[in-house]
Amino acid sequence: MCGIVAGVARQNIVPALLEGLRRLEYRGYDSCGVAVLQRGEARRVRTLARVCALAEDARAEALDGPTGIAHTRWATHGMPVIDNAHPIFSGEQIAVVHNGIIENHEQLRQALRNKGYTFSSQTDTEVIAHLIHEHYRGDILAAVQNAARLLQGAYAIAVMCRDEPERVIGARQGSPLVIGMGAQGAFLASDTFALSGCAERFVYLEEGDLVDIEGRRVQVIDREGQPVERREIAMQRAAWDAELGAYRHFMQKEIFEQPVAVARTVATLLGRGEQQAAMPEPAELADIEHVLLLGCGTSHYAALTACGWFEHFAGVTARAEIASEYRYRDHVRRGGTLVVPVSQSGETADTLAALRYAQAAGEDRTLTICNVAGSAMVRQSRWSFITEAGVEVGVASTKAFTTQLVALFALAIQIGRQRGHISDAEAATQMRKLDALPDAMRDVLAREPEVMAWAEALRKSEHVLYLGRGTHYPIALEGALKLKEISYIHAEGYPAGELKHGPLALVTRAMPVIVTAPNDALLHKLKSNMEEVRARGGQLYVLADLDTELMGAQGMRVIHLPRWYGVLSPLLHVLVMQMLAYHVACLRGTDIDKPRNLAKSVTVE
Ligand code: F6R
């Protein structure tokens, strides 16, 4: 969480910093700020409003200088108030922006107080600023190096010093930081997307690295203090720019981009896309017996959906683990395991730590499914597959989810084929289903007006129950997550068969129950579950495939999806769930792309 952008530009850096912050706002938006070195002074503006307001303030204050640092905050230590907004200063000399958590900040704060430092914020970042100040003897690089040795926890920082006007130092330990270079200068940011307007070449810092940007010179230094060369990569052009176009919100835009995102992902999987997948050699998959999927939130639900595919098509056992749970418990290792972290950002702290935990336990076959090339998880894994969702700006994940499902489905087929669990012909038949998926998705998205009518009926609800069975149970979970995170309505997903084991007690006339009802082998069981709800006055909202013959009736509304799409049906039903959450949130007037208390990339534990 939190976004950093900084650098030394050939001209005034403020427009590049503000544009970078606008692109990083998804990482947190409790406050934002920018500071530059201007005529021998460190000057800053900070606001609790959004980046567009910061831009106004920067203009009003005539902020202008080639060297600067900027930040968008997701609060960890200290409330979202101006004093806690970054950049944080130590005196008038040192300015710092920080992403991460300093675990020993209390001890350091006390030691600094004993030396006469006073604190004007509640942040752990101010500890870093004062520590650097304390070590400063005319060389800001040396001061950051010495201070960094005392920090415990995770951080990415960018630092500038009033007395060294064309210099910015960056350091990373556990939080992402990338260098971007181009004709406009040298920059630092939390991700490449932030710099896509001003840099063409990128270098990811590794754990413990520092970078010294001085004028046009960029030098990376490793944790031993030695100058080091890190691999430079050319910018992977963003598949979609962060412009809204005709849409009201990025979430809406991203929902409607899904047919294209899925088509691109399928093309890559079939070797027809622009990217090469770093997938395992077929022989590496032949002796897989078990798949361990690691993820959080929506990515965990993608993993949960895919478990059924791995068991059915590959004949292997599969377990989807919540990364934050997995990383903290003992577990029994099994031979022939493929570890599959699933993540949109590739930076989620818990998933990254779970991957490392598995590796430390001896798992060496790791394959990350991720939407961001070059992200920490991709670099940490032996193999990777980059989904082609393009930049996802809305905090609520949509197109990342469906493209993850496509990749996981293809992986299940591939493993099944290599293990001889399914024939080549069967594998080819299943893969062909992916080709027609984008059109089927367009058909579902065309149901938006019907979904809007449901949203109108649900807008005043306080609680909503979501039900599904089989591979649609995770879709019920995902539907509930989407609704709660952007509309703030309490929602819960349940496997429909569990209803009478407890949640049925909640069902009254005031309880809307949303059911994902594909025309699969479990439909008649699901129909019984729906009757249990109707008999208690519950209001049913059913997503049914046209061929189910489920019709609207008293206490039951139905949206018909075009037809049953077989094993890939979860990818269609979830589109309705996404649109429903979106339209309910629109009617309730929430901040859809930036829901309260959340941030897109959860880089703290
Ligand atoms: C929900 C959502 C989150 C993320 C989760 C994992 O809409 O976006 O639940 O899915 O924070 O993030 P990634 O996929 O980046 O690891």
Side-chain angles (χ1 to χ4, degrees):
M1 345 278 269
C2 300
I4 290 177
V5 54
V8 180
R10 308 263 192 276
Q11 298 164 345
N12 179 18
I13 197 170
V14 174
L17 295 181
L18 291 170
E19 177 58 22
L21 283 189
R22 193 174 70 81
R23 291 167 184 257
L24 285 176
E25 231 181 349
Y26 72 86
R27 298 178 74 94
Y29 31 84
D30 288 331
S31 63
C32 53
V34 55
V36 292
L37 298 180
Q38 191 169 1
R39 290 188 294 277
E41 228 192 306
R43 298 190 60 216
R44 73 179 158 187
V45 290
R46 301 180 288 176
T47 178
L48 299 180
R50 296 289 161 84
V51 174
C52 51
L54 184 72
E56 289 293 317
D57 295 351
R59 203 170 306 122
E61 292 289 322
L63 227 58
D64 183 334
T67 305
I69 61 179
H71 188 264
T72 177
R73 179 167 188 247
W74 187 82
T76 56
H77 291 71
M79 303 274 288
V81 294
I82 283 290
D83 280 345
N84 292 336
H86 301 208
I88 298 280
F89 283 10
S90 177
E92 290 176 0
Q93 195 177 30
I94 305 292
V96 177
V97 288
H98 165 221
N99 166 26
I101 291 178
I102 303 303
E103 286 165 3
N104 59 338
H105 73 101
E106 293 290 8
Q107 298 97 293
L108 293 171
R109 191 184 304 265
Q110 197 46 53
L112 287 160
R113 276 204 180 108
N114 295 344
K115 288 180 179 156
Y117 283 94
T118 54
F119 286 79
S120 55
S121 81
Q122 299 151 320
T123 63
D124 49 350
T125 309
E126 195 171 3
V127 167
I128 307 177
H130 288 330
L131 210 53
I132 294 170
H133 184 271
E134 204 221 339
H135 284 92
Y136 187 66
R137 309 275 183 278
D139 178 0
I140 187 65
L141 173 65
V144 174
Q145 272 175 315
N146 289 328
R149 285 193 192 103
L150 302 172
L151 300 177
Q152 289 166 14
Y155 57 84
I157 53 173
V159 184
M160 63 182 191
C161 173
R162 182 195 59 195
D163 303 334
E164 299 182 65
E166 288 202 14
R167 204 172 186 194
V168 164
I169 308 295
R172 79 154 277 182
Q173 178 66 52
S175 299
L177 199 59
V178 62
I179 308 168
M181 292 157 289
Q184 294 182 39
F187 302 86
L188 287 175
S190 300
D191 69 21
T192 53
F193 180 52
L195 301 178
S196 55
C198 59
E200 296 90 43
R201 293 168 293 121
F202 294 89
V203 173
Y204 284 96
L205 292 183
E206 294 188 5
E207 293 295 14
D209 279 356
L210 279 93
V211 58
D212 180 5
I213 300 176
E214 187 167 21
R216 298 181 180 205
R217 192 182 59 83
V218 176
Q219 178 66 63
V220 180
I221 298 118
D222 68 13
R223 65 165 83 241
E224 314 302 335
Q226 297 305 314
V228 65
E229 291 292 319
R230 298 279 181 232
R231 195 164 68 90
E232 192 175 296
I233 54 166
M235 176 68 180
Q236 177 216 2
R237 229 177 58 74
W240 284 277
D241 202 6
E243 302 301 335
L244 264 181
Y247 294 96
R248 276 178 72 190
H249 298 97
F250 281 104
M251 182 179 179
Q252 187 189 28
K253 175 173 180 258
E254 288 158 7
I255 289 172
F256 281 86
E257 278 173 354
Q258 288 177 101
V260 177
V262 161
R264 289 170 61 110
T265 304
V266 172
T268 300
L269 283 164
L270 299 177
R272 303 191 297 238
E274 288 166 20
Q275 285 197 47
Q276 288 294 308
M279 291 288 257
E281 289 299 318
E284 295 276 2
L285 298 178
D287 63 344
I288 296 294
E289 292 296 332
H290 180 66
V291 177
L292 171 64
L293 300 131
L294 303 171
C296 299
T298 290
S299 295
H300 169 64
Y301 295 152
L304 211 53
T305 312
C307 282
W309 295 333
F310 283 106
E311 301 200 331
H312 181 75
F313 291 112
V316 297
T317 53
R319 209 168 69 220
E321 291 265 10
I322 295 171
S324 56
E325 290 294 318
Y326 171 81
R327 63 181 285 199
Y328 287 118
R329 66 176 171 76
D330 294 336
H331 56 96
V332 179
R333 255 201 86 198
R334 311 171 64 163
T337 295
L338 178 66
V339 178
V340 183
V342 183
S343 174
Q344 189 286 129
S345 61
E347 303 288 350
T348 301
D350 282 318
T351 311
L352 182 59
L355 164 61
R356 290 186 175 137
Y357 181 63
Q359 285 171 324
E363 302 295 359
D364 64 346
R365 287 196 275 189
T366 56
L367 165 59
T368 288
I369 291 180
C370 185
N371 196 36
V372 181
S375 60
M377 272 178 237
V378 169
R379 284 177 285 129
Q380 183 74 32
S381 278
R382 180 154 158 205
W383 303 295
S384 58
F385 177 77
I386 308 302
T387 50
E388 293 275 2
V391 176
E392 196 180 62
V393 176
V395 162
S397 193
T398 52
K399 58 182 180 169
F401 179 74
T402 41
T403 51
Q404 284 166 352
L405 286 179
V406 166
L408 289 164
F409 179 79
L411 182 63
I413 301 294
Q414 183 70 347
I415 295 177
R417 193 172 144 224
Q418 296 310 327
R419 296 181 78 248
H421 190 73
I422 54 172
S423 65
D424 287 0
E426 171 65 4
T429 306
Q430 293 301 332
M431 288 301 284
R432 269 198 299 277
K433 289 184 183 157
L434 288 173
D435 265 339
L437 193 56
D439 281 339
M441 293 176 100
R442 283 187 190 96
D443 283 347
V444 175
L445 292 171
R447 267 53 181 179
E448 193 182 28
E450 292 168 71
V451 178
M452 288 166 83
W454 276 18
E456 193 64 57
L458 291 171
R459 63 186 291 187
K460 298 230 165 75
S461 304
E462 287 178 17
H463 310 275
V464 178
L465 206 54
Y466 283 72
L467 301 179
R469 297 191 76 130
T471 50
H472 283 248
Y473 159 51
I475 300 305
L477 292 172
E478 172 62 2
L481 176 61
K482 287 284 95 83
L483 189 73
K484 65 185 131 189
E485 72 180 319
I486 59 165
S487 76
Y488 316 149
I489 293 175
H490 170 233
E492 293 212 46
Y494 261 96
E498 275 289 293
L499 203 57
K500 52 185 154 312
H501 299 290
L504 200 53
L506 295 172
V507 172
T508 63
R509 296 195 69 74
M511 174 65 95
V513 180
I514 299 178
V515 187
T516 161
N519 192 9
D520 61 15
L522 292 170
L523 183 64
H524 64 287
K525 301 275 179 209
L526 194 63
K527 280 181 175 165
S528 313
N529 303 140
M530 288 194 277
E531 287 311 319
E532 289 158 12
V533 172
R534 272 181 87 191
R536 279 138 190 105
Q539 301 298 304
L540 285 167
Y541 294 75
V542 184
L543 317 183
D545 299 326
L546 196 53
D547 40 14
T548 58
E549 291 169 5
L550 271 167
M551 290 297 157
Q554 180 68 23
M556 177 154 109
R557 299 174 185 230
V558 181
I559 290 182
H560 285 115
L561 274 61
R563 67 188 165 85
W564 185 47
Y565 207 79
V567 286
L568 290 172
S569 162
L571 282 103
L572 300 185
H573 282 234
V574 77
L575 302 180
V576 178
M577 302 292 196
Q578 297 167 347
M579 288 193 286
L580 183 62
Y582 172 75
H583 283 293
V584 172
C586 277
L587 292 171
R588 289 168 69 96
T590 60
D591 193 348
I592 292 181
D593 286 332
K594 299 185 178 69
R596 71 181 176 211
N597 306 339
L598 300 181
K600 185 138 191 82
S601 194
V602 187
T603 55
V604 294
E605 213 187 312

